[in-house]
Structures are given as C-alpha cells and as structure tokens.
Amino acid sequence: MKIISINAGSSSLKFKLFEMKDESVLASGLFERIGIEGSNYTIKYDGNKVSEQAEMPTHAEAVSILLNRLIDLDIIKSLDEIEGIGHRVVTGGEKYKQSVLIDNKVIKDVEDCIELAPLHNPANIIGINAFRKALPNVKMAAVFDTAFHQTMDPVSYLYPVPYAWYEDHKVRKYGAHGTSHMYIAEAIAKELKKDNLKVISCHLGNGGSISAIKDGKCVDTSMGFTPIAGIMMGTRSGDVDPSIIPYIMVKETKNASEVLEDLNKRSGFLGLSGISSDSRDIEKGISEGNERCILAQEKYVRTIVNYIAQYYVLLGGCDALVFTAGIGENSAETRKRVVEKLACLGFKMDLKANDVRGELRKLSTDDSKSLIYLIPTDEELMIARETVTLVKQNA
Ligand code: ADP
C-alpha cells in the first residue's frame, strides 16, 4: 500500500511517499516559496534528486506538479497506486483525541481551531483542499499534533487561572510534537518488547518539548496552550513569568503581540547567547570560551533537567529516557550534560555509546537505574502508519 505523508505550511509543502509493506521511502521532497516569487521544488527518489524552479501561485499547482512528477519520474506507474494521504494538522483542539479520516465536518472542525494555531491550521487546510481536488477518491487522514496529548488529565492540562478561561475561551494545555512523542512511545515499546513502560521522551529540536508517557499514553507534556511554553528552545523562551509582558510593553513601548514575538523569535538560545538559535553555533561558541554561549547552554540543560525530574516524580520513576529530534539525535554534548545532572536519580550514561548521531542506540550503562536511548523520530512515518490504519478500518 502506497501512502503519502503531507506537511503543508503557509508557503511550503513537504511530502514523503511510502511503500507501507516495508515502510520504505519511495520519494520525498519539498515545495518552497509557494505564492512567492522564486517558487521551486526538490524531489528525491531512489538515489536521484530533481530540483527545479516552477510557477506555483497556490498549493494546487504544487500538488499538480508533485503528482505529475511521481508519474514522469517513474516513481509510480499510476495515481491509482496511492491508497491514502495523511496530513499533519497542528491542532485539533479538544475535539480530536486521535487521527481521523477527513470529511467536510473534520475540515470545519479544523477551521474552528484556527484561533489556537493561527499560522499553521489555515495552511494545513489549504494542503488538504488541494489534494481533495486533485485526488477526490483517495482516502485522506488528519493526524493531529495535539491528539497524543489528549490523554492528559485535568490536573495536567488545566492552568490555575479563572475556570471560565477554560470554559469560555478554551484556555488549557494542548501540547505539541504529539506525533513525534507517539512515535517514540511506540518505538521504545517495540525495542524493549514491553508495553507497560514509564517513558520520558525528550524531543529536542529547534522547537522542543518533553513528555511523560505511561503505558504508551501521555500523562503530561511541557508545551502548553501554545508551543512557546516549556523548556528553553532555539528562539523561544519556554516558561517565563507572564508579568514580564506588560512590564516590557511599557519599557519598550510595544504592544502585547510585539512582546510575544520577542519571546517567540528573539529568546531562547538566540536571546541568551546573542549569537544564534542553532545549537551547533552555541557549541562552537562554548569551545571558543564565549561566556554567553556557556550561559545559554547551561540554562538550556537546566530547563530540560527540571522537566525530566518533574516527570520522574510524576511517573513514579522512569524505565526509559529517550532523546530525539535535531539536538537530541545529534548533540552528544547536550545529552551528556543533561544526564550528568540526573546522576542523583541513578541515570548513568555510557560515554562511548553516546558518541553517536541519528541512530537507535542504548546510551545507558548496565548499572544505570533507568535506560537511556537515542531514537531518531519519524513523524512522517507515524502519519503514514496512522493513515494506513484508518484506510484499512474504512475499506
Ligand atoms: P525543528 O524543530 O525545526 O524540526 P530539528 O529537529 O531539525 O528542528 O532540530 C534543529 C536543531 O538541531 C538545531 O538547533 C540544530 O543546531 C540542531 N542540530 C542538528 N545537528 C546538530 C549537531 N550535529 N550538533 C548539535 N546540534 C545539532
């Protein structure tokens, strides 16, 4: 069964075509600058790469080019081979606790959630509509980044604020990166051949979140009402005292959105180091003795360790601590520093094993109280798996 995973942004469209028999990737690619001058795309398949400029005033042209190219590059013989399309949808609010097949009602519900993800959900809908037009008979699934976190109980998802904010305005913790955390939960269960596990999943990328997972279900997660909350990130502050916002509004004559933009785009690694949002630049700065880079890294590690310790207590222990995403998969230094600070909980890293990038590996010593793993995440594959399940259920 061939399935396409789609991640549509406001001016981009990422795709991966899978043969689900063996979960192999037949093709992947990116369409960029849709609706902007200089639109272009790249498709990779079978060791080849095609990169071209093309007129793409809307996502519809990108979809049409993609489908045509799949045929003329001989990646598939006919569009009939595509049996399902899975769409990443950033938020399904409280309505969707799992992935669903897309119909008009689902699209309306995703539209109703726009105010919870004003930048992302509209783009996801544009992607969905473009494929609906191009392939009206193919089943499509919406895979929500928030769905995995819907198993949290009210003690985890409610803020201690006026209850009416939740009832009237939907203010609560929704979390993010749910598809990645779900992938990790499944992957570690498969690796350890055990379902009833206490797992702390650390998705450390440019954005980052940590989830406490029990028996495959999310118990708590560090991102909140929006993805600015939780640990420190590339450009995002993570948790801060909210009274900073009105204070800076007055001091810098800004409005609330402008200050929020500072917290979203000019904070985190970038804000503290003054150099870069990229952890590779921070590591380089540290090797050159840059004090602000040293500080930024210390703060980053502190916020991660704080959440791990919190979730260790919440779960009543931890069978496996898992690192994933850009930094989690590639930065041995970050992993080492985090685990060093967890020594009092009995976590012990095998430093030789930790000298690794982007491959599934056990990183803990045999006498570590909890297992430590690196597991590369694969959100696209998770989307494709969810789509297969729904397509088969509704065949
Ligand atoms: P996004 O949240 O945009 O999906 P990614 O998961 O791709 O982000 O992660 C991007 C982050 O991964 C960047 O901060 C980048 O510096 C970091 N990263 C990638 N490779 C390395 C590496 N070799 N060492 C340290 N950090 C790395």
Side-chain angles (χ1 to χ4, degrees), residues 178-187 375-378 381-382 385:
T179 312
S180 173
H181 290 297
M182 175 158 64
Y183 179 87
I184 295 302
E186 286 190 11
I375 301 182
T377 194
D378 196 336
L381 177 57
M382 196 68 235
R385 284 182 185 164

Side-chain angles (χ1 to χ4, degrees), residues 177 203-208 234 236 269 277-281 283 325-327 330-332 334 357 379:
H177 296 137
H203 178 110
L204 308 178
N206 191 29
R236 282 174 248 168
F269 274 136
S277 62
D278 193 304
S279 77
R280 283 166 290 203
D281 298 334
E283 288 186 11
I327 299 172
N330 292 295
S331 173
T334 303
R357 277 184 187 193
E379 288 161 283

Side-chain angles (χ1 to χ4, degrees), residues 3-7 13-18 84-88 379-385 387:
I3 299 285
I4 309 185
S5 275
I6 297 293
N7 185 352
L13 190 134
K14 266 193 237 166
F15 85 93
K16 253 188 196 177
L17 172 68
F18 291 94
I85 300 170
H87 291 269
R88 173 186 186 222
E379 288 161 283
E380 293 87 359
L381 177 57
M382 196 68 235
I383 290 172
R385 284 182 185 164
T387 307

Side-chain angles (χ1 to χ4, degrees), residues 214-234:
K214 189 159 190 283
D215 305 339
K217 293 196 170 65
C218 177
V219 177
D220 203 351
T221 193
S222 62
M223 278 181 169
F225 179 60
T226 69
I228 199 176
I231 61 169
M232 174 181 143
M233 299 170 230

